[in-house]
């Protein structure tokens, strides 16, 4: 089973849409572009889902409730770095500081990161606990990463302009 889709939430989407059209219209356009590229690259999928779809919201609510009921969700404050373009919270070791501006830049992508000051009440889940309770013969993360790398290589061969 292969599922593709678009994540239509978050700061990056809001910022991009604000420059052009309403968020919903922007997401509709982006989703159509992804479907087109996948079709052109002969990437077949079992399903294509958007995070704005009701079935996705229902599945996430169920997943969240399950994690919470098993004690895998906790609340804590966060103070540190965040990269909007990579949608990633970062540690100091993942950055280099620009000596002129003091801005953080990701070591692997070079994208800028902003220092966030204490944000209270964020929710986290314990990934190591979820993985520890998964079937020992199946590592969903490792299998998914291998599939993504294979598809990415195929895309690069078929669409060299995307390199």
């Amino acid at each position: 089973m292969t599922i593709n889709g678009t994540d239509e939430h978050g700061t990056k989407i809001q910022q991009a849409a604000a420059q052009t059209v309403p968020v919903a219209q922007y997401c509709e356009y982006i989703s159509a572009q992804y479907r087109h590229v996948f079709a052109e690259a002969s990437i077949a999928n079992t399903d294509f889902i958007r995070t704005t779809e009701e079935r996705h919201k229902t599945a996430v609510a169920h997943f969240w409730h399950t994690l919470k009921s098993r004690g895998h969700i906790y609340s804590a404050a966060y103070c540190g770095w965040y990269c909007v373009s990579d949608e990633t919270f970062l540690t100091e070791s993942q950055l280099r500081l620009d000596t002129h501006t003091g801005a953080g830049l990701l070591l692997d992508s070079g994208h800028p990161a902003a220092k966030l000051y204490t944000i209270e009440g964020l929710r986290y889940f314990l990934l190591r606990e979820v993985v520890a309770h998964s079937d020992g013969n199946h590592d969903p993360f490792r299998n998914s990463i291998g599939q993504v790398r294979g598809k990415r290589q195929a895309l690069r061969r078929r669409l060299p302009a995307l390199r």
Side-chain angles (χ1 to χ4, degrees), residues 9 12 15 22 30 40 51 62 74 79 103 106 112 118 121 124 137-138 141 147:
H9 293 89
K12 184 169 48 174
Q15 289 174 349
I30 294 297
E40 287 293 313
T51 58
H62 175 74
Y74 66 99
C79 181
L106 274 71
T118 304
Y124 298 87
N137 296 317
H138 178 70
F141 303 105
Q147 290 174 356

Side-chain angles (χ1 to χ4, degrees), residues 15-72:
Q15 289 174 349
Q19 297 176 14
T20 56
V21 296
V23 173
Q25 185 179 347
Y26 179 78
C27 289
E28 185 65 38
Y29 171 77
I30 294 297
S31 181
Q33 292 299 306
Y34 271 92
R35 290 174 195 232
H36 175 74
V37 168
F38 292 154
E40 287 293 313
S42 299
I43 297 175
N45 52 280
T46 309
D47 192 13
F48 188 96
I49 190 162
R50 299 171 58 182
T51 58
T52 53
E53 290 181 43
E54 199 56 44
R55 64 192 178 112
H56 180 267
K57 294 174 188 178
T58 301
V60 168
H62 175 74
F63 181 62
W64 185 267
H65 174 74
T66 300
L67 289 174
K68 190 171 182 177
S69 70
R70 294 180 182 172
H72 299 316

Side-chain angles (χ1 to χ4, degrees), residues 3 5 8 11 23 33 68 76 87 90-91 117 124 126 147:
I3 300 174
E8 301 173 4
T11 307
V23 173
Q33 292 299 306
K68 190 171 182 177
E87 298 179 338
L90 306 153
T91 64
Y117 295 92
Y124 298 87
L126 300 168
Q147 290 174 356

Side-chain angles (χ1 to χ4, degrees), residues 94-147:
Q94 295 172 291
L95 301 167
R96 70 175 172 81
L97 292 180
D98 182 307
T99 55
H100 294 83
T101 65
L105 300 172
L106 274 71
L107 291 175
D108 59 352
S109 69
H111 294 151
K115 180 75 172 181
L116 300 178
Y117 295 92
T118 304
I119 300 171
E120 300 289 337
L122 291 180
R123 303 288 189 266
Y124 298 87
F125 76 94
L126 300 168
L127 180 60
R128 69 179 172 274
E129 295 294 326
V130 174
V131 172
H133 289 93
S134 68
D135 178 348
N137 296 317
H138 178 70
D139 182 343
F141 303 105
R142 183 173 294 133
N143 292 342
S144 295
I145 290 168
Q147 290 174 356

